Amino acid sequence: MKKLLTLAAIVFAVAGCSGQNSSEATAPVNVKSLAGDTTVPVTLPAAEMAQYPQKGHAIARNYAQQPPLIPHKADYPITLKRNTCLSCHAWGKAERMHATAIPKSHVIDDNGTLNGRNYSCNQCHVPQASNKQAIVGNGFGE
Ligand code: HEC
Ligand code: HEC
């Protein structure tokens, strides 16, 4: 008898945990958009994809000390742990990857150790892409 009771207790306990009570209706969730009932009047097509030059063709510089433009896509990740730009541009890798090695101005020793100040490459180097969008005017040098 005692065994039977224990068994019954276990069965009830398990049934209690099994989520069988979920048949109780849950209250509907009313999510209200910040825009209220405003409908979207126009949907624009996605912007044209940027077209980057082929790798291997550096873009002519316009003035001395200009950080050269990146002649390829520039979404290679630069994170705290890894700078993927260096997998092609680091000393010792650049020649094999047919890329220009980072210049002496970017390193702190004779082994090509990158100066921490130059870690965020895209802070100075930007990619050049031909886009189909209207070009923004520029009065540099005028
Ligand atoms: C897969 C290899 C590869 C990776 C990764 C890579 N590059 Fe390049 N990069 C090249 C090649 C090849 C060229 C063209 C040859 C040259 O001018 O160095 C080039 C050219 C450049 C140039 C032009 C150099 C010049 O003298 O005009 C810059 C600047 C540059 N890359 C910056 C970057 C930056 C910043 C990153 C990371 C966001 C990066 N690259 C990632 C291969 C790479
Ligand atoms: C603080 C700005 C700055 C940062 C950050 C920076 N660069 Fe530069 N970079 C320059 C300037 C300015 C030049 C051109 C003058 C020179 O060679 O020092 C240059 C030149 C280069 C060149 C051409 C070298 C040559 O011999 O013609 C390459 C390649 C390059 N940088 C890659 C990189 C990569 C890769 C990173 C990130 C690891 C990086 N740079 C970070 C400013 C920067």
Side-chain angles (χ1 to χ4, degrees), residues 22-111:
S22 63
S23 58
E24 274 176 35
T26 39
V29 185
N30 286 316
V31 181
K32 188 132 179 76
S33 156
L34 285 179
D37 296 330
T38 319
T39 49
V40 179
V42 217
T43 46
L44 297 173
E48 292 278 354
M49 296 277 283
Q51 305 284 320
Y52 294 102
Q54 289 294 316
K55 262 183 211 153
H57 299 284
I59 298 163
R61 299 181 202 186
N62 297 311
Y63 57 94
Q65 296 304 318
Q66 176 197 343
L69 291 164
I70 305 175
H72 52 70
K73 72 183 177 81
D75 55 0
Y76 294 105
I78 301 174
T79 66
L80 202 59
K81 293 207 174 113
R82 197 148 177 261
N83 182 329
T84 36
C85 307
L86 293 177
S87 50
C88 291
H89 289 282
W91 290 18
K93 295 205 180 134
E95 201 179 338
R96 188 160 40 92
M97 300 310 290
H98 305 290
T100 312
I102 48 169
K104 287 215 175 89
S105 60
H106 291 24
V107 304
I108 50 166
D109 59 20
D110 290 339
N111 304 319

